[in-house]
Amino acid sequence: MLIVQKYGGSSVADAQCIKRVASRITKNKNEGHEIVVVVSAMGDTTDYLVDLVNEVTENPGEREMDMLLSTGEQVSIALLAMAVKDLGFDSISMTGAQAGIYTDSVHTKARIKEIQCDRLRDELAMGKIIIVAGFQGLNHSGDITTLGRGGSDTTAVALAIALDADICEIFTDVDGVYTADPRIVSEAVKLDTISYDEMLELAHLGAQVLHPRSVELAKINNIPLHVRSSFNLNSGTIVKEVDNMEQAVVVTGIAHDLNVARISLFDVPDKPGIAWKVFQALAEAHINVDMIIQSAMEDNINDISFTIGASDLSIALNLMDSIKNDVGFSRYTWDDSIAKVSIVGAGMATNPGVAARMFGALAKNNINLDMISTSEIKISCTINNNQAVEAVNALHKEFNLDKN
Ligand code: ASP
Ligand code: MG
């Protein structure tokens, strides 16, 4: 079998961890498999690098940001390849560029365009264990790009697809995908399987266990993912296509996201093309907009509120200043002390009353709702961020997720 494995930052946090991962990899190699490993930066290295930038400048520029953040993974691939060789196996480390990973040019949020696998295949044919730097690639001008925080998962899935791997294993520090973040919900239960669609919603809604783009790629190419712990041999959660018969439960999981900010525009003229101008400006700056709410119109003016990732807030506020006169709104407010809590479940589409149950559970805990949005298989609302833990626990109970 050809196996692609990804080890996250906590699995390679120090020398001891790196040696443990090396021995796990070599055991799989001894079982007769071909192995391609993707690794993240050690522990909190990437956070540390971001903090360092903040001490140096407010305007790092995205190209230089990628140049810096990509170094974290270069450290871990080299050390892991050394540890594997130390165990008597042939191994080679490769940066994204050396592995033939080409992306578009959107620095800090690049998307993989193609992977030229010739070198990878040659090295595999020579029997080597290949260790590839996650989260990075090369654009067509020859500059290093990164795929967005947590992007190593996407590197792994993209490599698995390009190499036509038999399986893609995502190793992390938890046993799999849980009904809610086990760090804040003690009754959270590990799921044995979850559908791509539910996982995609959970990943977008703040569950940090998988990078959303990796789930999207896996779904499009129908490649199952096995999310499991690198600290034990337990089997984890399989993310795959699940047919409707199996989707008996209404709510599969609860997600929360503290990295959210809301911007509200007031007295926006009610005429065609206005929303387009606002959201076009955000799109051109590559800012992902999540919830959008336009309230009932009065006197030909509207209020529009939307949410974005908190890390995009300062860029978005600058943009609002620059389009204010052209768009014609009178003023704006913003709030980054909010959290988004969401319930996700494929069974929701066919079961009425789910929203009422959600809002009821929150009301009983005196939690005020700010914005609300829904899709076929999820309901999200924003609340004050200091009530997020309470909200997630209340919803976990309401939908009996501890009894899975
Ligand atoms: N090291 C990068 C990050 O921390 C990429 C990753 O871990 O997947 O975001
Ligand atoms: Mg990481």
Side-chain angles (χ1 to χ4, degrees), residues 30 53 61 91 108 152 159 167 197 254 264 293 295 298 307 340:
N30 268 340
V53 170
S91 179
T108 79
S152 300
L159 280 173
I167 169 161
D197 288 331
I254 320 273
S264 298
I293 289 176
S295 53
E298 200 175 71
T307 62
K340 183 172 57 177

Side-chain angles (χ1 to χ4, degrees), residues 262-270 274 278 293 295 300-306 320 324 327-334:
R262 174 178 52 71
I263 297 180
S264 298
L265 311 179
F266 295 96
D267 310 320
V268 188
D270 183 46
I274 290 295
V278 173
I293 289 176
S295 53
N300 292 325
I301 53 169
N302 283 318
D303 298 338
I304 299 179
S305 291
F306 55 91
M320 293 305 112
K324 184 168 177 263
V327 174
F329 55 88
S330 68
R331 65 191 176 93
Y332 64 78
T333 60
W334 57 272

Side-chain angles (χ1 to χ4, degrees), residues 6 9 40-41 46 73 135 148-153:
K6 178 260 175 176
S40 295
T46 313
E73 273 69 13
F135 170 61
R149 295 302 308 271
S152 300
D153 296 336

Side-chain angles (χ1 to χ4, degrees), residues 76-391:
S76 47
I77 54 168
L79 290 171
L80 185 55
M82 292 173 197
V84 169
K85 286 190 199 182
D86 227 31
L87 297 172
F89 290 76
D90 204 1
S91 179
I92 182 170
S93 63
M94 288 190 187
T95 62
Q98 289 172 323
I101 300 174
Y102 290 93
T103 71
D104 63 18
S105 286
V106 184
H107 281 291
T108 79
K109 291 178 188 171
R111 286 166 80 102
I112 296 175
K113 287 281 173 210
E114 67 164 315
I115 302 185
Q116 291 175 8
C117 297
D118 310 358
R119 171 102 190 259
L120 288 169
R121 288 197 195 285
D122 290 348
E123 301 290 353
L124 275 177
M126 286 186 262
K128 292 185 194 170
I129 295 172
I130 305 180
I131 319 278
V132 181
F135 170 61
Q136 55 175 262
L138 201 67
N139 68 19
H140 282 283
S141 338
D143 284 325
I144 297 174
T145 52
T146 65
L147 309 180
R149 295 302 308 271
S152 300
D153 296 336
T154 299
T155 305
V157 175
L159 280 173
I161 294 163
L163 292 167
D164 200 14
D166 296 286
I167 169 161
C168 183
E169 296 180 304
I170 308 284
F171 286 94
T172 175
D173 54 358
V174 290
D175 274 347
V177 181
Y178 280 73
T179 49
D181 186 340
R183 287 169 301 189
I184 65 163
V185 179
S186 53
E187 288 91 37
V189 176
K190 190 195 82 186
L191 299 161
D192 292 332
T193 58
I194 185 169
S195 68
Y196 291 122
D197 288 331
E198 291 171 316
M199 191 62 239
L200 198 54
E201 288 283 10
L202 286 175
H204 274 299
L205 295 169
Q208 279 162 9
V209 55
L210 283 174
H211 191 237
R213 179 88 179 118
S214 70
V215 186
E216 205 176 288
L217 278 179
K219 175 179 156 72
I220 295 169
N221 294 279
N222 202 13
I223 208 181
L225 306 180
H226 187 181
V227 183
R228 58 192 302 193
S229 170
S230 71
F231 296 85
N232 59 47
L233 296 174
N234 302 346
S235 65
T237 303
I238 306 281
V239 186
K240 59 171 192 174
E241 203 61 68
V242 177
D243 70 43
N244 287 335
M245 291 288 285
E246 292 174 48
Q247 291 170 343
V249 290
V250 180
V251 172
T252 304
I254 320 273
H256 71 287
D257 190 355
L258 301 175
N259 175 38
V260 190
R262 174 178 52 71
I263 297 180
S264 298
L265 311 179
F266 295 96
D267 310 320
V268 188
D270 183 46
K271 54 182 196 216
I274 290 295
W276 173 61
K277 272 187 186 158
V278 173
F279 294 104
Q280 179 67 14
L282 292 160
E284 277 167 11
H286 304 288
I287 295 177
N288 258 327
V289 177
D290 180 28
M291 303 162 127
I292 302 175
I293 289 176
Q294 174 172 275
S295 53
M297 177 273 280
E298 200 175 71
D299 298 333
N300 292 325
I301 53 169
N302 283 318
D303 298 338
I304 299 179
S305 291
F306 55 91
T307 62
I308 55 176
S311 48
D312 286 329
L313 182 62
S314 63
I315 299 176
L317 292 178
N318 285 338
L319 271 179
M320 293 305 112
D321 285 328
S322 66
I323 62 171
K324 184 168 177 263
N325 287 339
D326 182 32
V327 174
F329 55 88
S330 68
R331 65 191 176 93
Y332 64 78
T333 60
W334 57 272
D335 187 356
D336 63 356
S337 63
I338 61 173
K340 183 172 57 177
V341 292
S342 313
I343 58 175
V344 172
M348 210 181 272
T350 47
N351 280 281
V354 182
R357 267 176 84 184
M358 177 183 193
F359 302 151
L362 295 173
K364 273 179 236 148
N365 285 274
N366 238 330
I367 296 167
N368 193 36
L369 307 182
D370 184 18
M371 301 170 81
I372 299 169
S373 84
T374 65
S375 80
E376 278 224 302
I377 65 165
K378 74 117 199 274
I379 304 172
S380 302
C381 48
T382 64
I383 61 172
N384 196 312
N385 61 6
N386 56 32
Q387 290 181 301
V389 172
E390 213 184 327

